[in-house]
Amino acid sequence: MDLTSPQYAQELDRQDELAGFRSRFEISDEDLIYVDGNSLGRMPSATPARMGEILKEQWGAGLVRGWSDWIHIPSRLGSRIAEIIGADEDEVLCCDSTSVNLFKLIQAAMRLQEGRSQIVTDNLNFPSDLYVMQGCIPGTSRRLSVVPSEDDVHGNVEAIERELSTSTALLSLTHVAFKSGYMYDMRRLTESAHRVGALALWDLSHSVGAVPLSVRSAGVDLAVGCTYKYLNGGPGSPAFVYVRRELQERLLSPIWGWFGDGRPFKFDLSYEPAPGIRRFNAGTPPILSMAAVEVGVDLVLEAGIDRLRAKSVKQTEYLIELYDALLAPHGVKLNSPREAAVRGSHVSFGHPEGLRVDRALIEAKNVIPDFRAPDTIRFGCTPLYTTFSELRQGVVRMAEVIRDRTYLDFTVEGIEVT
Ligand SMILES: *Cc1c(COP(=O)(O)O)cnc(C)c1O
């Protein structure tokens, strides 16, 4: 059967055992091809009602009395996220943004590792992660080593391992690279870090909810990740931190906020860090946003991460088949790994006019991917709601934009958000 035919995509959709989950999301335009769930997940249909309940009953009627329950939400939500990343329930906390959490963990780790000066990372990392690391350097004797990828697609595992030494305090990487979708072997690199006495910190933003993770069995020390991508927690929803239990009492957050104190409502004037993971709280948690995170997290748990990964692999494989048939002939590059084992849940295509192609897709073709400089157009597969027919339509419309040069009608002037 022709892999590019609509019938083939429909057959894949018929075989999809997760297909029913799509109806659990708000989909107001059935013709819209949304392949940007790796940037902002769709809204679960149950979210407005859940948030409405919190607004009306808890804030509206309960008022400040709500805090007796609300103070437990970061830990409660953390224990659910723990299930998704293979941690124990008392090892994860939902709080702050990924960037802030990364800062907290890096500073805490560097203090514990006093005497070691080096932080090792790579240039596939997310800019915010690199900025946070850069910001941890001035005024200290620390140095940051950024190991370059050889092809801007794959992580350079051997070069990273060569960079690790007894002066390395911390290895900090993003598990699935935001641009190429390359996925590191978390266990292998964590072991390599441990071999020289370094700690390993992983950013799981692009893997949580899409890829099976087992931070505990991989020996991971520290992790952060966000909830508005594959966990569908909504714009600006809080992130999470994971700290291996054995390390929790030895680490101190650099932000000694009252919610990280053992008894915030005692209003004691000296900080006494809470036992366990709770000490990584800083200030008042965003209760409303957390209600939305809970809905998203529950959907992922209900679907099951292994089934989600199985579908995700099938979908990214299909995207690459469609790429070979429909995009490669137009000179589009594949900016993602071909081997599923080292690929997350999105596929990146390279085109010199990528930003204009992206604009044309959004404005003329009702397809929403996203663009990452200099040339990358990302198609994200969110197995909870992405259909095979959608992926096919998205690639077909992208091929049209390039073939017909529709992108020439679009300017990149004044585009602030891609
Ligand atoms: C999305 C993402 C972030 C986002 O950080 P915020 O502080 O939540 O804005 C950070 N790191 C990586 C790797 C990401 O993919």
Side-chain angles (χ1 to χ4, degrees):
M1 196 182 214
D2 177 7
L3 293 175
T4 64
S5 70
Q7 293 77 17
Y8 184 73
Q10 285 155 13
E11 182 51 35
L12 293 174
D13 283 326
R14 262 193 300 275
Q15 293 168 7
D16 172 16
E17 53 176 290
L18 295 177
F21 278 93
R22 185 173 165 88
S23 66
R24 311 273 293 276
F25 288 83
E26 176 79 13
I27 294 176
S28 49
D29 175 1
E30 270 295 342
D31 183 58
L32 171 70
I33 310 289
Y34 190 65
V35 281
D36 205 17
N38 55 320
S39 181
L40 177 68
R42 279 186 181 274
M43 184 178 80
S45 318
T47 299
R50 179 76 66 86
M51 289 189 79
E53 205 179 289
I54 307 265
L55 284 168
K56 258 189 117 71
E57 290 165 26
Q58 299 195 18
W59 180 16
L63 288 162
V64 76
R65 286 170 288 189
W67 278 114
S68 54
D69 178 55
W70 296 337
I71 52 168
H72 303 297
I73 294 181
S75 307
R76 198 166 73 212
L77 212 44
S79 67
R80 292 239 180 78
I81 295 170
E83 247 185 273
I84 300 177
I85 67 167
D88 286 341
E89 60 174 19
D90 58 352
E91 293 181 310
V92 179
L93 189 72
C94 183
C95 57
D96 299 314
S97 67
T98 306
S99 307
V100 170
N101 286 334
L102 193 67
F103 173 76
K104 292 188 292 192
L105 293 187
I106 291 174
Q107 293 289 22
M110 293 311 284
R111 251 172 105 161
L112 182 70
Q113 293 280 63
E114 222 185 305
R116 290 171 177 251
S117 57
Q118 186 195 31
I119 302 174
V120 176
T121 186
D122 73 347
N123 71 343
L124 299 180
N125 214 339
F126 192 71
S128 194
D129 294 42
L130 291 168
Y131 303 159
V132 168
M133 287 180 225
Q134 289 161 15
C136 289
I137 304 295
T140 71
S141 57
R142 297 170 191 160
R143 64 203 161 86
L144 178 64
S145 304
V146 184
V147 178
S149 158
E150 281 183 329
D151 58 0
D152 286 333
V153 172
H154 297 79
N156 196 340
V157 176
E158 284 80 19
I160 290 169
E161 287 175 332
R162 279 195 300 275
E163 192 63 32
L164 297 170
S165 74
T166 50
S167 63
T168 310
L170 181 69
L171 171 64
S172 179
L173 292 168
T174 291
H175 180 225
V176 170
F178 82 105
K179 216 182 283 184
S180 71
Y182 172 80
M183 179 164 66
Y184 277 107
D185 181 338
M186 199 157 69
R187 178 195 301 267
R188 169 175 168 173
L189 278 162
T190 297
E191 282 171 2
S192 305
H194 288 172
R195 212 166 293 130
V196 298
L199 294 172
L201 191 174
W202 291 92
D203 188 328
L204 307 176
S205 292
H206 264 87
S207 15
V208 63
V211 175
L213 293 163
S214 185
V215 288
R216 195 141 245 294
S217 74
V220 171
D221 301 298
L222 308 162
V224 295
C226 89
T227 62
Y228 49 78
K229 291 169 181 159
Y230 296 102
L231 296 182
N232 309 302
S237 62
F240 61 87
V241 277
Y242 156 83
V243 177
R244 186 156 62 82
R245 189 184 303 104
E246 296 78 358
L247 283 173
Q248 289 174 2
E249 302 297 322
R250 299 170 61 203
L251 292 175
L252 267 186
S253 170
I255 305 172
W256 293 11
W258 69 313
F259 270 81
D261 184 87
R263 301 176 66 184
F265 286 91
K266 202 173 154 212
F267 297 102
D268 200 86
L269 297 189
S270 307
Y271 179 72
E272 197 55 58
I277 191 73
R278 269 205 307 121
R279 64 179 57 191
F280 289 94
N281 260 323
T284 307
I287 300 304
L288 298 180
S289 252
M290 285 185 168
V293 174
E294 194 159 26
V295 178
V297 163
D298 284 351
L299 275 169
V300 166
L301 286 170
E302 186 186 332
I305 197 69
D306 291 325
R307 289 202 300 169
L308 289 169
R309 173 64 176 168
K311 178 172 170 187
S312 155
V313 167
K314 218 168 164 180
Q315 292 203 312
T316 53
E317 294 280 84
Y318 180 53
L319 265 180
I320 292 174
E321 285 166 359
L322 291 168
Y323 159 84
D324 285 332
L326 303 173
L327 296 174
H330 293 292
V332 177
K333 286 193 305 160
L334 182 65
N335 287 351
S336 288
R338 276 195 178 267
E339 325 84 86
V342 294
R343 191 174 62 231
S345 201
H346 70 272
V347 174
S348 295
F349 306 122
H351 188 277
E353 291 280 10
L355 182 50
R356 292 168 93 185
V357 172
D358 179 60
R359 293 324 298 174
L361 282 169
I362 295 170
E363 286 171 37
K365 296 285 187 181
N366 212 18
V367 179
I368 305 185
D370 63 18
F371 173 77
R372 292 294 176 261
D375 69 339
T376 290
I377 295 165
R378 302 189 301 182
F379 271 50
C381 305
T382 310
L384 278 173
Y385 51 75
T386 304
T387 66
F388 290 87
S389 297
E390 230 183 338
L391 295 176
R392 181 192 158 274
Q393 268 300 328
V395 172
V396 165
R397 292 183 203 176
M398 179 166 159
E400 286 166 6
V401 161
I402 295 169
R403 182 199 64 202
D404 303 340
R405 303 192 181 276
T406 319
Y407 62 86
L408 294 176
D409 301 339
F410 293 85
T411 154
V412 297
E413 296 297 307
I415 304 284
E416 223 176 324
V417 177
T418 61

